[in-house]
Each structure stands twice: as C-alpha cells, then as structure tokens.
Amino acid sequence: MSTPTNAFVDFKEVKSRVGILQVLERYDLLGLLKRSADRLSGPCPLHQGTNPTQFRVSVSRNCFNCFGTCGRGGNVIDFVSLREGISFRDAALLLQEWFMPDKVTNRPAGTAPRQTKDASPRPSSQPLQPPPTVADDQDEEGENPPLSFALKALKPDHPYLTERGLTEATIASYGIGYCARGCLRGHVAIPIRNRDGALTGYIGRWPGDPPSGQGKYKLPKGFRKNREVFNIDRVVHADSSDPILVVEGVFDCLHLVQLGFQATVAILGSSLSPRQETLIREAAGAKRPLYLLFDADEAGRKGASEAAMSLCSSSIVRIIDIGAYQPQPELLERSQVDALLKQYGALNP
Ligand SMILES: [Zn+2]
C-alpha cells in the first residue's frame, strides 16, 4: 500500500468535498442509475442486485442507501469502503488520492497511487465541487411551546393499557392514564415531552374502537405531533453508543422499551418531518447507528425509505423489515427483535 498508514485524514473534509456522483462516475455506475431531480435509483452495485429501484442516491445529501438484500447505506467513504472491501480510513485516503490531489502530499517518492480492483486511477471528468448544501428548512422546524397545563388525575389502571401490554412500571414511569375530564376526556393520554423533558402535548387514544365518525386519536388544540419525537428526552441524554431504534407509534416504542431496548424513539406517524430529523440526528451523533423498524405495510415501507434517505448523510441507517415476523413492532417478541438486529446489525462481518 503506497499511502502511509499514519497519514492524516480529515473525514469531514473528504465527505464535504467529494460528491457521490463523482464516485459513481469513477466506477462507471452512472449509466445504470436513473436520475430524477435530486434522486438516482437503480440496481444495487454493492450486492449486485437486480431489482431496478433498490439502490437509491440523494445528490444533495451526498449519500446512498440500499433497500434490498445488503441494506447498506451511508456517505461517499462508506461506499468506497464497501465497494473495495477496505476500511473506512483506507477508503477516505483513496478518495483523497482520486479527487483531492492537494491533500496527497506525503506519499513516498516514486510510489504509484494505489490500484483498485475495478477502477484504474484516472482524472475525474467532473470538476471538484462540493455537493450542494441541504436546503435550510429551519422554518418548518418551529417547536411546540411547553404546555401551559397538565392533565390532572389520569387514571393509570384503565384496562386498555394492560390490553396494549403496558406494565405498571411503564405506565407510572411515563405518566400515562385514562382522562376522565379535560380536553382529552374519554381517551387514554400519553404525555409527550421535548428533548429537554418539558411537557409539550399529549397523544389521546380512544380505548378500543372509537364511536363511528370519531378518530382513534385526539390531540390537544395547537399541538403539532410532527415536531416531537417520543422518548427522545430519555435517549438523547444517555451516554451510549447503542443503536437507536426508530418506530412509528407510541405503543411500538413502549413495547420495545419494555423488551429492554431503552434507546427506542417514535416519530408519531410514518413520515419523518425536518424537525424530527434534526432531533434524531442530534441524538445519534456520529457514532450511534439508526435502525428503522416501521410497520410492514405500504405507508411504513415508504416512510422508512424516505426517513433513511434523510438521515443517512450523517448516520449509519438500516431499514429493518419486520414483515417476516409481525406487521407491527408492538407485536414482536424479544427473540424476534434479537434475530432482526443480528441479521441487519452485523455492519462489518
Ligand atoms: Zn444492496
């Protein structure tokens, strides 16, 4: 290997200066991919898949994800690392050699740049240009203010809560209960807290099938549930490198917490909002992988795919298809979750 192993490499700089299109072009893969606006899709070049839409790329976010067998995803360095079967660090060094000649100063004289198994060194036909920055969607990120009231005297012993499998300890710890009066009268109320632990709203669930013409859920007036990530207050402050499990619903989340997966959050629906994306990114940082366990239905699959594309530029993201076991995470047994995490979690076998 020509590149000194102790060479300094600034991963952040490599990620920001090398565009995913440059990398795909270098491997002669662009012809296999269909482009529409910011997205490219095609068969997965990492597991040599044949499904024509399983491999997806976001140009603006500078990342890729496979929604098929290999389930791999990540940034430009991840791609080269997987494609070449080399370490993340070696992949970054290789990208420097290919696209950042100004950075390659300490190669010993007389040594050639590294040859790779399916791309001989050649100059890129594209100018070095940083990928466009992701649109600033701060405006859509307005937060819910802390609630000016708290529902009093929620009854923790309503049979619906046991029917949904919640234990007494969970009910008490999360302050859940049946609301006999107030804005969520007739509903089971689940308190929603922001990342700092302040109460910002409730999810009201009718216990059982609601009367005709009435929805299953009710929210306090003005409360926007897509600005909150349930359980984020507990996950964000935990000093841990455990994966974070992301699910759709509150009951899915509480069920997985009860199974022992404390680092589970719920996005209170099947589509991830910009505000939720920010919250989950912050909680994950660079070291905690994100496993998306959405419902095994069309909305869940679509939601997981979109969420993965949003989150994969900063975190390792895996979509875990639970469909072989259950339609919803709330129904999974501990052994099934373990099997799924083992199946998808072996990042470096
Ligand atoms: Zn793949």
Side-chain angles (χ1 to χ4, degrees):
M1 189 176 297
S2 63
T3 308
T5 49
N6 60 352
F8 172 74
V9 55
D10 182 341
F11 297 117
K12 229 177 171 174
E13 189 184 4
V14 173
K15 283 193 276 186
S16 70
R17 281 184 53 188
V18 179
I20 189 93
L21 289 179
Q22 289 175 282
V23 175
L24 294 169
E25 202 247 339
R26 179 158 189 114
Y27 285 112
D28 277 330
L29 294 169
L30 280 183
L32 296 175
L33 304 172
K34 265 198 202 135
R35 181 155 189 185
S36 101
D38 179 51
R39 300 288 169 88
L40 284 82
S41 65
C44 177
L46 297 172
H47 78 268
Q48 311 302 331
T50 52
N51 180 307
T53 59
Q54 275 181 344
F55 182 77
R56 292 179 215 162
V57 172
S58 165
V59 177
S60 64
R61 292 179 186 277
N62 215 29
C63 65
F64 70 96
N65 244 89
C66 168
F67 299 105
T69 314
C70 75
R72 305 291 183 155
N75 56 50
V76 287
I77 308 176
D78 294 308
F79 186 85
V80 172
S81 155
L82 291 164
R83 178 84 182 182
E84 301 286 340
I86 58 181
S87 72
F88 190 77
R89 186 189 151 76
D90 283 347
L93 288 167
L94 198 52
L95 284 167
Q96 278 194 351
E97 283 194 20
W98 287 349
F99 302 114
M100 300 162 67
D102 56 308
K103 289 282 160 189
V104 187
T105 53
N106 44 5
R107 185 188 308 137
T111 58
R114 295 180 50 201
Q115 297 289 325
T116 59
K117 67 182 176 201
D118 54 359
S120 58
R122 61 185 155 96
S124 167
S125 64
Q126 285 182 324
L128 287 179
Q129 69 190 176
T133 49
V134 175
D136 183 359
D137 30 31
Q138 290 298 320
D139 288 340
E140 294 171 35
E141 297 210 351
E143 298 175 31
N144 289 305
L147 215 53
S148 58
F149 64 92
L151 293 172
K152 297 273 163 28
L154 295 176
K155 286 193 246 164
D157 56 354
H158 194 280
Y160 181 74
L161 296 173
T162 356
E163 243 172 70
R164 291 296 290 256
L166 300 187
T167 63
E168 262 178 51
T170 303
I171 294 167
S173 168
Y174 285 84
I176 300 166
Y178 178 80
C179 182
R181 64 188 61 153
C183 64
L184 297 183
R185 186 155 40 101
H187 293 73
V188 159
I190 299 137
I192 306 295
R193 299 181 178 279
N194 66 17
R195 66 181 293 284
D196 301 321
L199 180 70
T200 55
Y202 290 91
I203 299 291
R205 173 66 163 88
W206 187 268
D209 293 326
S212 66
Q214 197 179 311
K216 276 194 270 189
Y217 293 97
K218 192 173 179 190
L219 308 175
K221 207 164 173 251
F223 173 63
R224 297 163 299 176
K225 71 181 169 71
N226 72 348
R227 309 300 160 97
E228 306 293 345
V229 174
F230 179 69
N231 212 34
I232 196 85
D233 53 318
R234 301 190 186 210
V235 171
V236 79
H237 299 297
D239 181 22
S240 162
S241 56
D242 287 349
I244 297 176
L245 310 189
V246 183
V247 297
E248 293 184 37
V250 164
F251 289 100
D252 297 317
C253 180
L254 293 171
H255 174 69
L256 291 177
V257 167
Q258 286 184 173
L259 291 186
F261 301 97
Q262 310 296 336
T264 305
V265 297
I267 62 168
L268 309 172
S270 58
S271 72
L272 185 76
S273 73
R275 172 71 190 155
Q276 292 171 326
E277 180 189 331
T278 303
L279 289 167
I280 294 176
R281 257 181 215 288
E282 282 173 4
K287 62 177 183 175
R288 303 186 76 171
L290 297 167
Y291 293 153
L292 312 184
L293 288 83
F294 284 32
D295 293 1
D297 57 16
E298 208 187 319
R301 291 202 175 95
K302 186 167 176 287
S305 162
E306 290 295 320
M309 291 309 293
S310 300
L311 293 163
C312 71
S313 57
S314 61
S315 305
I316 292 168
V317 184
R318 296 280 174 272
I319 294 177
I320 297 193
D321 184 354
I322 64 168
Y325 295 112
Q326 299 290 350
Q328 289 152 6
E330 188 185 345
L331 304 170
L332 287 167
E333 291 165 20
R334 169 81 206 211
S335 60
Q336 295 174 328
V337 183
D338 286 340
L340 284 165
L341 293 184
K342 200 171 162 207
Q343 182 187 340
Y344 287 87
L347 301 180
N348 296 301

